[in-house]
Amino acid sequence: MLTDNAHACTHPLAFVRAQRGWSYQRLARVVARRARDLGVANMAAERQKVWRWEHRGVVPDRVSQLALAAELGVPADRLESHPWPAWLPTGDAVRTEYPWSSTGSVTALMDVVEDALTDRRGFLTITGPGVASLSSEWLSLEPARLHAALAGGRVDEQIVNRIEHNIPGLRVMDERLGGESVRRLVDAELGVVAELLARGSYTEAIGRHLHLVAAELARFAGWVSFDSGYQTAAQRYWVTALHAAHAAGDRMLGANVLKNMSLQCVDFARPREAVDLAEAAVASARRAGGRVAAMLQMRRARAHAALGESSLCAQALACAEAAFVEARSEDPAWSAYFDDAEYQAQVGSCYIDLGHLVQADRWLERSLAIRTNERTRDRATYMLRRAAVQMDLGNLDAGCSIAREALPMLESTRSKRNSRRADELRRRLRRHSSASFARELDQALARMA
């Protein structure tokens, strides 16, 4: 599995592979599959050929470029206007030097929205007027009212409340369908808020409310980008979310952003950075209790577990447990996902990283027993984790059975994080290729790649 290190991103194709978690062979298979979709049969899936594209300056043939463009969602005409490798999506440096002020927050929002809508995978071309038109339908507002605000007119509480009202629905879509299905909707919502902040007229109180909504939308946009495999975009969104949360004066929301960034570092084998971010999250929300404190302490626990620091992990888990039992109805809406099932799954994940597999399996089993079916992606996540634990414990039959049960959930949600977990499971299955049921499961997982 590739990580987001500097070496990996020296060529645009390397950046694409890092973002998607593709090896050279995996990319070759993707190109061959897409070429077949385009009507070109018997195209060889050669790792060496892809390696030469990246390291020897070899230009792929037309069919290979069209196949890769189709997979990345790049319009075919861009291959003509931006010859190889210029048409590939690339990761710009993540800007972090915005002033910690309302002006800095607006600048960060406008920058991230411009990038989000014009130059990430898919090359979205939604512009300001397009976003306004689309969002006016979602918000159930009179179009003239929203257009007037976007053109510099007065922004009132009704407009802000309507935008904020959509966020829970986006969270539900993410839980059930995966981040890839929600990204464009979040882009459009965030674009409207950025335009209102930059061009609208509003009171100081309305301005703080707009920054608050922008912060949660940017945080959520970072999350769905992270889940979809756009790691640089996720970082860019989260930097923006921190500035918007600061402008809104919401320390707990800023702590949640840092918590998300910590998880990204855990996923990409940067545990020391994960600890630093988790500690900063806890420190910035010292007065938080209930679910919020439990979530932040659990992120500390995960980071310490990734470092193999058992005693520090245990301390953080104890703090998380103490806070979780005090969960209360006034906890912010964005903390609601951290229910008992998620809490137990996270404890199990800590034990996986610490190598305590029997304990990990016990916690994951309890989590899955009480987890609702609505959160399809998360259920698939922890079923894959438990399947891997069972295999590592020597229970191949049980592990394969759990993984097979997760297959429909993997198919119905689009999550690159779960795709990576499926790849990890396939590596275990290859050690048991003599068993026909293991081979069949491996092939089923491969078809979902």
Side-chain angles (χ1 to χ4, degrees):
M1 182 181 69
L2 289 171
T3 58
D4 276 4
N5 55 40
H7 175 72
C9 294
T10 55
H11 186 281
L13 185 59
F15 173 79
V16 169
R17 291 194 307 107
Q19 291 289 77
R20 303 301 294 270
W22 287 340
S23 64
Y24 294 111
Q25 185 60 52
R26 177 74 175 275
L27 175 54
R29 288 199 299 268
V30 166
V31 170
R33 173 172 55 81
R34 280 291 187 171
R36 288 194 296 273
D37 293 342
L38 295 172
V40 180
N42 300 319
M43 181 175 178
E46 299 177 4
R47 176 191 183 282
Q48 295 81 1
K49 178 168 63 175
V50 173
W51 186 89
R52 288 194 293 270
W53 295 347
E54 187 173 314
H55 293 277
R56 288 287 182 264
V58 175
V59 178
D61 59 76
R62 175 71 176 175
V63 170
S64 295
Q65 290 197 50
L66 287 171
L68 181 55
E71 177 69 20
L72 298 177
V74 178
D77 58 4
R78 189 173 174 85
L79 276 63
E80 305 297 334
S81 61
H82 295 73
W84 177 271
W87 63 262
L88 291 169
T90 57
D92 300 325
V94 179
R95 182 180 173 187
T96 60
E97 76 282 6
Y98 298 104
W100 292 99
S101 63
S102 295
T103 300
S105 173
V106 172
T107 303
L109 281 164
M110 296 305 291
D111 284 353
V112 78
V113 167
E114 179 180 358
D115 172 73
L117 300 182
T118 60
D119 196 27
R120 288 203 314 278
R121 200 194 83 190
F123 297 93
L124 306 181
T125 56
I126 303 174
T127 61
V131 169
S133 176
L134 183 62
S135 296
S136 64
E137 297 176 18
W138 295 340
L139 301 178
S140 300
L141 291 171
E142 182 184 349
R145 183 173 191 166
L146 181 57
H147 284 303
L150 287 168
R154 197 69 172 171
V155 181
D156 60 26
E157 195 70 23
Q158 182 184 356
I159 291 176
V160 186
N161 287 338
R162 279 291 191 173
I163 299 172
E164 189 173 37
H165 179 74
N166 288 334
I167 295 176
L170 294 171
R171 293 194 192 108
V172 170
M173 289 182 64
D174 170 59
E175 291 169 354
R176 298 185 183 183
L177 302 176
E180 181 70 17
S181 300
V182 189
R183 292 177 69 246
R184 289 169 177 80
L185 300 181
V186 185
D187 282 343
E189 297 278 10
L190 186 60
V192 170
V193 178
E195 290 283 335
L196 290 174
L197 277 165
R199 301 179 184 179
S201 171
Y202 42 83
T203 65
E204 183 178 346
I206 294 293
R208 283 196 301 271
H209 196 174
L210 277 169
H211 279 291
L212 181 66
V213 173
E216 175 54 16
L217 281 170
R219 183 209 65 80
F220 186 58
W223 168 259
V224 296
S225 296
F226 170 47
D227 185 57
S228 305
Y230 298 88
Q231 304 308 328
T232 301
Q235 289 180 314
R236 189 177 292 116
Y237 274 125
W238 286 330
V239 168
T240 299
L242 281 176
H243 281 271
H246 178 76
D250 193 321
R251 301 291 288 176
M252 284 201 295
L253 181 51
N256 195 28
V257 176
L258 293 169
K259 176 184 71 68
N260 287 178
M261 297 175 76
S262 177
L263 179 60
Q264 185 186 44
C265 288
V266 167
D267 265 24
F268 283 86
R270 296 177 179 174
R272 179 51 59 192
E273 294 173 46
V275 169
D276 291 342
L277 287 163
E279 295 285 0
V282 170
S284 66
R286 290 191 185 279
R287 298 180 182 177
R291 293 183 194 276
V292 173
M295 290 166 59
L296 302 182
Q297 293 290 349
M298 187 62 76
R299 189 59 62 234
R300 282 182 64 220
R302 288 290 306 276
H304 285 301
L307 279 170
E309 297 174 340
S310 299
S311 60
L312 291 173
C313 176
Q315 291 173 20
L317 283 175
C319 293
E321 181 182 13
F324 187 70
V325 297
E326 297 177 355
R328 46 190 185 243
S329 58
E330 61 267 27
D331 287 334
W334 47 259
S335 69
Y337 92 96
F338 196 73
D339 56 14
D340 193 39
E342 184 65 22
Y343 170 82
Q344 295 194 45
Q346 290 290 326
V347 175
S349 296
C350 287
Y351 284 127
I352 289 175
D353 289 344
L354 292 172
H356 304 326
L357 298 185
V358 173
Q359 290 170 279
D361 185 66
R362 200 157 49 232
W363 283 94
L364 289 172
E365 182 182 24
R366 288 201 296 258
S367 170
L368 288 167
I370 61 175
R371 185 174 291 278
T372 63
N373 292 327
E374 285 81 5
R375 290 163 61 175
T376 309
R377 179 196 54 209
D378 294 345
R379 187 171 184 81
T381 293
Y382 295 116
M383 292 186 77
L384 289 176
R385 298 205 119 191
R386 188 170 183 232
V389 167
Q390 282 289 323
M391 291 179 190
D392 290 345
L393 287 170
N395 304 323
L396 180 62
D397 286 0
C400 288
S401 177
I402 294 169
R404 280 194 295 271
E405 189 179 345
L407 288 174
M409 304 173 202
L410 292 173
E411 190 171 12
S412 65
T413 59
R414 291 183 287 175
S415 168
K416 293 302 173 185
R417 296 182 72 222
N418 275 348
S419 294
R420 293 202 304 271
R421 294 186 183 97
D423 285 343
E424 292 168 5
L425 202 63
R426 292 186 64 204
R427 284 193 285 274
R428 288 173 171 83
L429 289 169
R430 291 183 194 120
R431 298 198 291 265
H432 304 280
S433 58
S434 59
S436 60
F437 62 89
R439 292 197 305 273
E440 290 169 2
L441 177 58
D442 181 33
Q443 293 166 3
L445 290 169
R447 286 194 292 270
M448 295 184 181

